[in-house]
Coordinates of all heavy atoms in Angstrom, one line a residue:
L1196 N 1.3 0.4 -1.9 CA 0.5 1.3 -1.2 C 0.8 2.8 -1.5 O -0.1 3.6 -1.7 CB 0.6 1.1 0.4 CG 0.1 -0.2 0.9 CD1 0.4 -0.2 2.4 CD2 -1.4 -0.3 0.7
E1197 N 2.1 3.1 -1.6 CA 2.5 4.4 -2.0 C 2.1 4.8 -3.4 O 1.6 5.9 -3.6 CB 4.0 4.6 -1.8 CG 4.5 4.6 -0.3 CD 6.0 4.5 -0.1 OE1 6.7 4.3 -1.1 OE2 6.4 4.6 1.0
A1198 N 2.3 3.9 -4.3 CA 1.9 4.1 -5.7 C 0.3 4.3 -5.8 O -0.2 5.1 -6.5 CB 2.4 3.0 -6.6
M1199 N -0.4 3.4 -5.1 CA -1.9 3.5 -5.1 C -2.3 4.8 -4.5 O -3.3 5.5 -5.0 CB -2.5 2.3 -4.4 CG -2.3 1.0 -5.2 SD -3.2 -0.3 -4.4 CE -4.8 0.0 -4.9
A1200 N -1.7 5.3 -3.4 CA -2.1 6.5 -2.8 C -1.8 7.7 -3.7 O -2.6 8.6 -3.8 CB -1.4 6.7 -1.5
E1201 N -0.7 7.6 -4.4 CA -0.4 8.7 -5.3 C -1.3 8.7 -6.5 O -1.7 9.8 -7.0 CB 1.1 8.5 -5.8 CG 1.6 9.7 -6.7 CD 3.0 9.5 -7.1 OE1 3.8 9.2 -6.2 OE2 3.3 9.8 -8.2
G1202 N -1.7 7.5 -7.0 CA -2.6 7.4 -8.2 C -4.0 7.6 -7.8 O -4.9 7.8 -8.7
N1203 N -4.4 7.6 -6.6 CA -5.8 7.8 -6.1 C -5.8 8.8 -5.0 O -6.1 8.4 -3.8 CB -6.3 6.4 -5.6 CG -6.3 5.4 -6.7 OD1 -7.2 5.3 -7.5 ND2 -5.3 4.5 -6.7
P1204 N -5.5 10.1 -5.3 CA -5.3 11.0 -4.2 C -6.6 11.3 -3.4 O -6.5 11.9 -2.3 CB -4.9 12.3 -5.0 CG -5.3 12.1 -6.4 CD -5.3 10.6 -6.6
T1205 N -7.8 11.0 -3.9 CA -9.0 11.2 -3.1 C -9.4 10.0 -2.2 O -10.4 10.1 -1.5 CB -10.2 11.6 -4.1 OG1 -10.4 10.4 -4.9 CG2 -9.9 12.8 -4.9
V1206 N -8.6 9.0 -2.3 CA -8.9 7.8 -1.5 C -8.0 7.8 -0.2 O -6.8 8.1 -0.3 CB -8.6 6.5 -2.3 CG1 -8.7 5.2 -1.5 CG2 -9.5 6.5 -3.6
T1207 N -8.6 7.4 0.9 CA -7.9 7.3 2.1 C -7.5 5.8 2.3 O -8.2 4.9 2.1 CB -8.8 7.6 3.3 OG1 -9.3 9.0 3.2 CG2 -8.1 7.5 4.7
F1208 N -6.2 5.6 2.7 CA -5.6 4.3 2.9 C -5.3 4.1 4.3 O -4.7 5.0 4.9 CB -4.4 4.1 2.0 CG -4.7 4.0 0.5 CD1 -4.8 5.1 -0.2 CD2 -4.7 2.7 -0.1 CE1 -5.1 5.0 -1.6 CE2 -5.0 2.6 -1.4 CZ -5.2 3.8 -2.2
V1209 N -5.7 3.0 4.9 CA -5.4 2.6 6.3 C -4.8 1.2 6.3 O -5.4 0.3 5.6 CB -6.5 2.8 7.3 CG1 -6.9 4.2 7.5 CG2 -7.7 1.9 6.9
A1210 N -3.7 1.0 6.9 CA -3.1 -0.3 6.9 C -2.6 -0.7 8.4 O -2.1 0.2 9.1 CB -1.9 -0.4 6.0
G1211 N -2.8 -1.9 8.7 CA -2.2 -2.4 10.0 C -0.7 -2.4 10.0 O -0.1 -2.1 11.0
R1212 N -0.2 -2.7 8.8 CA 1.3 -2.8 8.6 C 1.6 -2.6 7.2 O 1.0 -3.1 6.3 CB 1.8 -4.2 9.1 CG 3.2 -4.4 9.0 CD 3.6 -5.8 9.7 NE 3.4 -6.9 8.8 CZ 4.3 -7.4 7.9 NH1 5.5 -6.8 7.8 NH2 4.1 -8.4 7.2
A1213 N 2.7 -1.9 6.9 CA 3.3 -1.8 5.6 C 4.5 -2.6 5.6 O 5.4 -2.5 6.5 CB 3.6 -0.3 5.3
S1214 N 4.6 -3.5 4.6 CA 5.8 -4.4 4.4 C 6.7 -3.9 3.3 O 6.3 -3.4 2.3 CB 5.3 -5.8 4.1 OG 6.4 -6.7 3.9
D1215 N 8.0 -4.1 3.5 CA 9.0 -3.8 2.5 C 9.3 -5.0 1.7 O 10.2 -5.0 0.8 CB 10.2 -3.2 3.1 CG 10.0 -1.9 3.8 OD1 9.3 -1.0 3.1 OD2 10.4 -1.6 4.9
R1216 N 8.6 -6.1 1.9 CA 8.8 -7.3 1.2 C 7.5 -7.7 0.4 O 6.5 -7.8 0.9 CB 9.1 -8.4 2.2 CG 9.6 -9.7 1.5 CD 10.0 -10.7 2.6 NE 8.9 -11.3 3.2 CZ 8.7 -12.6 3.4 NH1 9.7 -13.4 3.0 NH2 7.7 -13.1 4.0
S1217 N 7.7 -7.9 -0.9 CA 6.6 -8.4 -1.8 C 6.6 -9.9 -1.7 O 7.6 -10.6 -1.8 CB 6.8 -8.0 -3.2 OG 5.8 -8.5 -4.0
Y1218 N 5.4 -10.5 -1.4 CA 5.3 -11.9 -1.2 C 3.9 -12.4 -1.6 O 2.9 -11.8 -1.2 CB 5.5 -12.3 0.2 CG 5.4 -13.7 0.5 CD1 6.5 -14.5 0.1 CD2 4.3 -14.3 1.1 CE1 6.4 -15.9 0.4 CE2 4.2 -15.7 1.3 CZ 5.3 -16.5 0.9 OH 5.3 -17.8 1.1
C1219 N 3.8 -13.4 -2.4 CA 2.5 -14.1 -2.8 C 2.6 -15.5 -2.2 O 3.4 -16.3 -2.7 CB 2.4 -14.1 -4.3 SG 2.1 -12.5 -5.0
G1220 N 1.7 -15.7 -1.2 CA 1.7 -17.1 -0.6 C 1.0 -18.1 -1.5 O 0.2 -17.8 -2.4

């Protein structure tokens, strides 16, 4: 999310939760 926000500065990001764990179910 942080990298995407930095790379897309004109885009607004909203998230219910930010996770510090990467996981693919």
Side-chain angles (χ1 to χ4, degrees):
L1196 292 176
E1197 290 170 353
M1199 290 184 79
E1201 185 176 317
N1203 300 279
T1205 61
V1206 175
T1207 300
F1208 289 82
V1209 294
R1212 181 173 79 90
S1214 175
D1215 293 314
R1216 186 174 80 130
S1217 176
Y1218 181 77
C1219 291

